[in-house]
Amino acid sequence: MTTSLPDEEVMLMVRDGSAEMLGVLFERYEKPLFNFYVGLTKDRPASEDLVQEVFVRILKYRRSYKPGTNFRPWIYQIARNARADQMKKNVPHAEQTEAAEPMQAPANSLESDQQHAILRRALDELPEEKREILLLSRFQGLRYEEIAQMLGCQVGAVKVRVHRALQELREVFVRLERGAAQKSTAAGANYEM
Amino acid sequence: MKCEHAAEFIPDYLEGTLKPQDAERLEAHLESCAQCGKEIALARELTVLPTEEPSAALRTRFEAVLAAYEAGRRAGVARAQDAREPRAWTWNWFRSPALGFAAAAVLLVGGFLGGRYETNTNGPQSHDEVAALQGEVQGMRQLMVLSMLQEESASERLQGVSLSTREEQMDPKILTALLHTVRYDSSVDVRMAAIDALSRYGNHAQVRDGLAEALETNQSPLVQVQLIDLLVQLHDRNIIDQLHKIEQDTDVNPAVRERAQQAIAQLS
């Protein structure tokens, strides 16, 4: 029953005192938010802390949730703010873990795994702003409209940013792919997508 | 079609909102342009990148915080009934959206958390996790107390005051907020409850000074008497001059003046 309710109605119940309904939203958003943060930070423990922080903030700010507010942009807005606040507090830690993360694909993995690994690396090399818009629009599946609501800008501006980020992603990907092909002796290194 | 033109279409194409005739034109371009084709291919690949699973601890932490809310809700209702509040109040608390908020304020008793963790996890980090979780819940409770003290309804502020007394060690922010309540809260009940809550922290100079300042400004005889009682109990001799002023001030309620006179004798 409750699992078929739209996010917005569930959130209104949370707002009006049914804190336990937050569990439904946690169920729906735990994993997407976690992956959003892992994509941004490369840091699993930090990402879990951030997800927890998002749900604590929902409780804290729940009365600021107004009926008719699209829930997805709202929660991702909270998620972005939580991340921004964490960066202010803890920049060196974030950089450290980022550098420590092994980026190489295992040599014996399947071709598609390698391609995914290269795509991951290309994504990681993008500036955070571009990485974020791709994570939101492609990986998290937010509509441009929703991202525009979240960022407080025009839908057109979102599309322009998505495209610029895609352009840069392609450039980085091609560069990394060439590098990988030169290193690899495997015959299957030429990848057609 | 040139790439610049295609660029305008690509985002909508990816979202599936491009008009069919534009989509056809774009697709014709893609056949001859590897670069734009690659962009679209990569964009599609992004949607199927493998996802990662958060650890089970994330859910456990979330559930613990939520359980703290629920525990707080029950405690809040029980407390309201214990205090023999008028029925309407109790009912309002129960229905109030602030109550769930208040509920988060309640610290889980160590036994509950510890027990939960011992059954759910083993290994060396579980103690740290329990400590972290307790810290988290405690932080949340402080937050809730602070927020409840700002509530519009006196019953909710009262609830915030009573929740604050569950802390073993009072957070300085909460002390400050309670002192502010003693001085400025519009409800006599809330002011008196705050004085009660602060009575445990009389060893803090900040509390004694704050209470003395409140005595200076408070107009309610009930509150004045309670403040004098507490300051005498704390043996705060700094207030003797203030007590003399009260005793001699003919505008002050006679009962308060009498209490001031007694207090001077007690402290001298």
Side-chain angles (χ1 to χ4, degrees):
Chain A
M1 284 285 285
T2 53
T3 49
S4 62
L5 282 176
D7 296 342
E8 286 75 14
E9 281 182 38
V10 177
M11 184 59 215
L12 284 174
M13 292 164 85
V14 172
R15 187 194 70 156
D16 294 339
S18 303
E20 74 281 1
M21 292 303 284
L22 192 62
V24 176
L25 295 172
F26 183 84
E27 185 74 37
R28 291 178 191 174
Y29 284 93
E30 172 196 21
K31 209 175 144 183
L33 285 175
F34 177 71
N35 278 279
F36 173 59
Y37 282 134
V38 169
L40 283 181
T41 66
K42 304 283 106 202
D43 183 337
R44 288 180 54 99
S47 297
E48 292 194 358
D49 287 348
L50 283 165
V51 173
Q52 177 79 348
E53 175 65 16
V54 168
F55 285 94
V56 167
R57 286 186 184 204
I58 290 179
L59 289 171
K60 189 170 157 187
Y61 300 127
R62 60 200 206 152
R63 276 190 277 169
S64 74
Y65 181 80
K66 295 187 177 64
T69 306
N70 195 348
F71 182 74
R72 276 214 299 183
W74 190 76
I75 191 174
Y76 277 96
Q77 180 70 63
I78 291 175
R80 292 184 81 233
N81 291 343
R83 160 80 174 144
D85 292 346
Q86 180 235 30
M87 296 256 287
K88 273 184 231 151
K89 271 194 280 184
N90 200 9
V91 175
H93 173 68
E95 278 173 359
Q96 236 172 19
T97 50
E98 200 156 344
E101 180 74 14
M103 297 294 188
Q104 289 294 334
N108 60 350
S109 66
L110 296 170
E111 188 179 284
S112 68
D113 288 350
Q114 278 186 342
Q115 292 298 311
H116 279 150
I118 295 173
L119 182 55
R120 272 267 180 222
R121 283 173 57 200
L123 198 57
D124 293 343
E125 281 196 22
L126 296 186
E128 177 154 335
E129 190 195 314
K130 287 184 169 142
R131 186 159 76 235
E132 183 182 48
I133 200 133
L134 290 180
L135 285 170
L136 289 171
S137 65
R138 305 304 305 162
F139 199 54
Q140 302 288 319
L142 265 76
R143 318 283 303 175
Y144 304 136
E145 181 79 44
E146 291 177 318
I147 297 174
Q149 281 174 28
M150 201 175 99
L151 302 180
C153 66
Q154 300 287 318
V155 181
V158 173
K159 291 181 194 172
V160 169
R161 285 164 75 169
V162 166
H163 185 254
R164 285 199 189 131
L166 277 177
Q167 263 179 324
E168 191 168 336
L169 181 73
R170 171 179 51 77
E171 285 161 18
V172 177
F173 182 89
V174 168
R175 174 165 55 75
L176 292 175
E177 198 178 33
R178 267 191 212 125
Q182 278 166 8
K183 276 185 210 162
S184 170
T185 53
N190 276 328
Y191 181 79
E192 298 294 331
M193 293 193 74
Chain B
M1 183 189 278
K2 293 192 174 152
C3 292
E4 291 162 35
H5 205 177
E8 288 175 29
F9 289 154
I10 288 175
D12 283 336
Y13 184 70
L14 289 170
E15 209 178 46
T17 51
L18 193 62
K19 280 181 261 166
Q21 66 265 37
D22 289 337
E24 268 175 40
R25 289 169 61 201
L26 179 63
E27 279 160 6
H29 169 76
L30 294 178
E31 282 180 21
S32 59
C33 179
Q35 286 201 342
C36 290
K38 188 78 176 170
E39 263 176 48
I40 288 175
L42 287 175
R44 294 210 161 123
E45 203 70 6
L46 279 178
T47 63
V48 296
L49 271 184
T51 55
E52 296 200 31
E53 290 293 331
S55 76
L58 179 55
R59 174 170 296 266
T60 311
R61 283 167 67 192
F62 169 75
E63 283 171 357
V65 167
L66 207 53
Y69 259 75
E70 298 302 312
R73 173 197 307 258
R74 286 190 295 274
V77 172
R79 210 160 241 272
Q81 284 161 351
D82 284 353
R84 280 188 234 112
E85 294 296 338
R87 183 171 287 268
W89 273 27
T90 313
W91 184 234
N92 281 340
W93 291 15
F94 186 71
R95 294 161 53 107
S96 151
L99 186 69
F101 212 65
V106 172
L107 179 63
L108 284 190
V109 192
F112 168 70
L113 266 185
R116 184 182 184 90
Y117 259 77
E118 262 148 52
T119 54
N120 282 350
T121 64
N122 31 45
Q125 91 268 31
S126 65
H127 274 299
D128 291 347
E129 283 180 6
V130 171
L133 187 48
Q134 281 173 335
E136 204 164 73
V137 174
Q138 194 165 359
M140 171 162 303
R141 185 174 60 156
Q142 287 167 355
L143 177 80
M144 298 305 138
V145 168
L146 291 174
S147 123
M148 292 195 74
L149 290 176
Q150 310 281 325
E151 284 297 332
E152 268 180 47
S153 113
S155 60
E156 281 168 11
R157 296 199 303 277
L158 210 48
Q159 183 89 340
V161 171
S162 70
L163 283 169
S164 77
T165 61
R166 301 213 190 166
E167 300 238 19
E168 275 171 35
Q169 291 200 327
M170 188 66 97
D171 178 87
K173 277 188 216 150
I174 294 184
L175 275 189
T176 307
L178 285 173
L179 284 168
H180 187 271
T181 297
V182 170
R183 287 190 71 169
Y184 301 110
D185 201 284
S186 57
S187 151
V188 169
D189 289 339
V190 177
R191 271 182 272 161
M192 290 177 67
I195 294 169
D196 259 348
L198 285 165
S199 65
R200 295 160 65 207
Y201 304 97
N203 56 339
H204 291 242
Q206 186 203 354
V207 171
R208 289 196 304 274
D209 293 350
L211 293 173
E213 277 173 39
L215 179 60
E216 186 101 34
T217 53
N218 241 298
Q219 300 294 319
S220 153
L222 277 174
V223 175
Q224 287 171 309
V225 167
Q226 196 193 0
L227 281 168
I228 294 171
D229 285 348
L230 178 55
L231 287 163
V232 166
Q233 206 183 316
L234 297 172
H235 299 290
D236 187 349
R237 305 190 43 153
N238 297 329
I239 62 159
I240 290 182
D241 286 349
Q242 219 177 319
L243 291 171
H244 279 296
K245 265 191 241 161
I246 292 172
E247 191 216 340
Q248 283 153 25
D249 188 345
T250 50
D251 289 342
V252 173
N253 178 294
V256 178
R257 292 173 63 193
E258 197 180 317
R259 180 68 189 96
Q261 195 182 6
Q262 278 176 4
I264 294 166
Q266 285 170 296
L267 288 173
S268 299

